[in-house]
Amino acid sequence: MPGGTQRSTTPRDLAADPQSWPHAGLADHPQARVVQALARTLVEQMAEQGLSLRQVAALSGVNRQAITNLLQGSSWPDVFTVSRLEDGLGVALWPGASGPASAVR
């Protein structure tokens, strides 16, 4: 499995100060920085669109616990989860993307 045992450590646990996730410094782990950026963007979009966790789950079809895990940095989200969240919210969550990846043809 890609990532192997490295995935047993959560993105949040790789932060210099896990308590300040998703704004903590992540010096030497680019993949954890991607998850951190996804979490920050999701939080921003939820606030901007006035959405609760329950509403995001309903719009995206992603389980509330999976969303919570992403927001807390306690899991490594898969591409299915990120894509469903992007489609449900109608925005890009992936760093540097201009729109939901599923819209790219």
Side-chain angles (χ1 to χ4, degrees):
M1 173 171 126
T5 58
Q6 292 179 14
R7 290 177 55 125
S8 63
T9 302
T10 68
R12 175 188 177 109
D13 288 338
L14 294 168
D17 178 14
Q19 295 302 319
S20 62
W21 180 270
H23 302 287
L26 286 162
D28 293 330
H29 206 292
Q31 293 76 27
R33 284 196 303 270
V34 170
V35 176
Q36 185 179 49
L38 291 168
R40 278 196 311 260
T41 304
L42 181 54
V43 167
E44 291 165 5
Q45 285 300 314
M46 289 174 67
E48 188 175 305
Q49 296 184 34
L51 297 172
S52 68
L53 188 60
R54 185 178 304 269
Q55 290 170 313
V56 172
L59 288 169
S60 65
V62 175
N63 178 287
R64 283 185 300 159
Q65 188 60 53
I67 299 168
T68 298
N69 291 345
L70 169 57
L71 293 172
Q72 293 177 346
S74 61
S75 70
W76 297 92
D78 60 24
V79 70
F80 180 84
T81 299
V82 175
S83 179
R84 294 291 301 257
L85 288 167
E86 287 186 338
D87 288 344
L89 297 174
V91 297
L93 298 176
W94 194 266
S98 59
S102 65
V104 176
R105 294 186 189 250

